[in-house]
Amino acid sequence: MKILSPEVTRLLDKLYNLRGSDSVIFKEMESAHEKAEETKERTTAQKATLQEKIAGLEADSKNLSEQGKKLIEVLKGIDKNAYATVIDRLHINFDPEALVEKLDSSLPETIEKVNSDIESSKEELVKVEEEMNSAITTIEEIGIRKDAAVANQEKLNEYFDLALAGNINITRDSITSLLEQFDLTEEETREAAKILMFPEDALYDYDARLRESEKKSISEVMQEAKNQEVIEPKVEEAPKIEPVSVEPVKAEAPKVEEHKFDREDLIDLFNEIGLDYLDYTTSDLDQVLEHFNEKVIRRNVNIFKENDLSLDIFVDHINLLYDKELEAKMDRLLRIGKSALDIYLNPTVLTKYDYKNLDKAIILLQDSGLDPKKVPLMAY
């Protein structure tokens, strides 16, 4: 079983988090939703308070203006001398003229101050309403985003279920376009696509261990951890043994098992020689592994590289990648005057014939009085 690297394990931790109800995406949306609701509740109360304040200030401004004018008119109509005896005897400090002067000088400033408070409150009200509307918009957007996130999560779980069942047959574009919705880096997206398109035993093991851990209680997990603690065995002193003459035995060299190429190794090779493994299906990769020969693969890729031809030819004709006679067939066609580009555009001639039968077809054309160079490859 191939062990997953720490980097891939962390990526799987992230992906499995995205698959669950405790997804970081849902948590972030839940936190943002709660914050927006709190803002909406606070600003709604602030708006009501400010509206009440503004209404009171506007009433004060109106009353100051109206009542001030009336009071000035009343005071101007009072003759202080007509009430001199009462004012003197009762020691009343009443001077209509002085009051009128004070009203004339102070009332406009007071009204202006109240009006200024009204404008400030209105500006504050605008800001509060903007904040409130922004919170309301955020709540609505989160609702839409949550619906999309749920749909994306369902699709991600569907892809994982297919991969774990060994039955995934999803295109690269479909997988990458989905993964791009989860705020993964480009490298994470590429690695996650590889995991889904070409699942390995380590993925199955990760999933199995995760499901097993979900069934256990916390106490069971704690007990397992205790059981796994390393206990140093007590070492007893070995009895002394008298030396005995023993013929030396020549130790056999340990057998070295030859490394068997697996799909991960093949993907690494593809990356090295310039092939994008995500362009190939699981069946394609298994087919290459079945006929695997690294030297042949490198040689066949170089044939097209040296002729400045696209390596996409292998996407539709995977058997050319491991065709041991490809070089000989290309050479035979080039020798009769065909161009490398012509061969690239008509690859069927390479897949249709092995070298022996291709040579026979060329000789047959020559025996018939035809020039193989002038005969279109599609007619071969």
Side-chain angles (χ1 to χ4, degrees):
M1 182 175 292
K2 189 161 185 174
I3 299 176
L4 286 174
S5 67
E7 293 78 14
V8 175
T9 300
R10 283 193 291 271
L11 175 57
L12 279 171
D13 289 341
K14 189 173 185 178
L15 289 170
Y16 269 75
N17 171 265
L18 294 173
R19 296 184 61 193
S21 58
D22 61 343
S23 166
V24 64
I25 291 178
F26 291 135
K27 290 291 185 183
E28 289 174 354
M29 282 194 290
E30 182 180 343
S31 175
H33 186 272
E34 289 178 358
K35 185 177 179 180
E37 285 287 359
E38 290 172 1
T39 300
K40 177 187 174 184
E41 183 177 349
R42 171 177 57 81
T43 53
T44 299
Q46 287 178 327
K47 178 180 178 180
T49 300
L50 284 168
Q51 287 176 327
E52 184 178 351
K53 178 182 178 181
I54 291 169
L57 289 171
E58 287 176 337
D60 287 347
S61 178
K62 180 181 179 182
N63 290 333
L64 281 169
S65 179
E66 292 177 351
Q67 293 176 15
K69 289 178 180 179
K70 288 181 181 179
L71 182 58
I72 289 173
E73 290 176 1
V74 170
L75 290 171
K76 284 182 177 180
I78 297 175
D79 183 2
K80 180 181 177 181
N81 294 325
Y83 307 100
T85 304
V86 175
I87 292 172
D88 290 341
R89 290 290 183 179
L90 296 179
H91 305 289
I92 298 173
N93 185 17
F94 177 67
D95 186 349
E97 292 181 2
L99 288 173
V100 169
E101 289 179 4
K102 185 174 182 179
L103 284 169
D104 285 338
S105 63
S106 300
L107 186 60
E109 294 179 2
T110 303
I111 294 174
E112 184 179 350
K113 176 64 171 61
V114 172
N115 289 339
S116 178
D117 288 344
I118 292 172
E119 291 304 314
S120 296
S121 298
K122 285 183 176 180
E123 289 175 1
E124 186 179 356
L125 177 61
V126 169
K127 293 179 181 179
V128 168
E129 287 179 331
E130 287 177 350
E131 188 178 7
M132 182 183 69
N133 292 333
S134 177
I136 294 171
T137 301
T138 298
I139 292 169
E140 293 173 350
E141 289 177 347
I142 289 175
I144 297 171
R145 284 170 48 206
K146 187 172 183 180
D147 290 341
V150 169
N152 288 335
Q153 186 186 69
E154 290 175 352
K155 184 63 67 176
L156 182 66
N157 281 329
E158 177 188 342
Y159 287 177
F160 261 93
D161 290 341
L162 290 171
L164 290 166
N167 191 33
I168 192 162
N169 188 27
I170 309 298
T171 65
R172 170 190 177 181
D173 288 344
S174 296
I175 290 178
T176 53
S177 62
L178 172 65
L179 293 172
E180 286 169 355
Q181 306 303 314
F182 293 97
D183 195 27
L184 300 175
T185 65
E186 185 177 344
E187 181 60 30
E188 287 175 332
T189 298
R190 184 178 179 84
E191 189 63 33
K194 182 176 74 173
I195 290 171
L196 286 169
M197 293 182 72
F198 313 113
E200 297 286 345
D201 288 344
L203 171 61
Y204 305 137
D205 181 56
Y206 178 97
D207 186 79
R209 284 188 285 110
L210 187 67
R211 292 180 183 279
E212 186 63 29
S213 66
E214 290 174 349
K215 296 178 183 178
K216 297 175 182 177
S217 64
I218 295 177
S219 59
E220 288 175 325
V221 174
M222 293 291 292
Q223 186 59 47
E224 282 190 2
K226 289 181 180 180
N227 294 338
Q228 291 175 357
E229 292 179 355
V230 179
I231 302 174
E232 292 291 334
K234 186 176 180 180
V235 180
E236 297 183 0
E237 186 177 347
K240 295 182 178 179
I241 301 175
E242 294 297 327
V244 179
S245 178
V246 180
E247 289 293 329
V249 179
K250 187 176 181 181
E252 292 184 4
K255 294 182 180 179
V256 180
E257 293 185 3
E258 183 180 351
H259 174 67
K260 185 178 180 181
F261 247 65
D262 60 17
R263 197 179 296 159
E264 284 287 337
D265 296 320
L266 184 59
I267 289 172
D268 291 339
L269 175 61
F270 271 32
N271 289 333
E272 181 184 343
I273 61 181
L275 299 179
D276 190 341
Y277 66 88
L278 291 177
D279 287 335
Y280 300 86
T281 66
T282 304
S283 176
D284 288 337
L285 297 185
D286 289 341
Q287 193 174 331
V288 175
L289 285 172
E290 186 179 348
H291 303 85
F292 185 77
N293 186 314
E294 183 176 353
K295 182 179 179 181
V296 171
I297 292 173
R298 289 181 180 275
R299 183 181 67 205
N300 291 354
V301 168
N302 283 333
I303 289 173
F304 289 92
K305 282 184 177 180
E306 290 168 358
N307 287 283
D308 295 324
L309 298 173
S310 173
L311 301 183
D312 289 347
I313 189 171
F314 298 116
V315 175
D316 296 320
H317 305 281
I318 191 65
N319 57 316
L320 292 180
L321 190 60
Y322 54 81
D323 187 347
K324 295 179 180 179
E325 295 185 324
L326 179 62
E327 185 177 34
K329 289 188 286 186
M330 286 284 291
D331 181 66
R332 184 72 176 96
L333 291 169
L334 292 172
R335 280 191 284 113
I336 64 173
K338 292 295 184 181
S339 69
L341 179 59
D342 189 15
I343 299 171
Y344 170 79
L345 295 174
N346 296 276
T348 305
V349 70
L350 298 173
T351 59
K352 180 179 180 181
Y353 296 104
D354 58 16
Y355 178 78
K356 182 178 179 181
N357 286 316
L358 175 61
D359 186 58
K360 283 183 178 179
I362 292 172
I363 293 173
L364 180 61
L365 290 172
Q366 291 171 335
D367 291 344
S368 301
L370 300 173
D371 184 353
K373 177 183 178 180
K374 296 180 180 179
V375 176
L377 287 175
M378 65 179 64
Y380 271 58

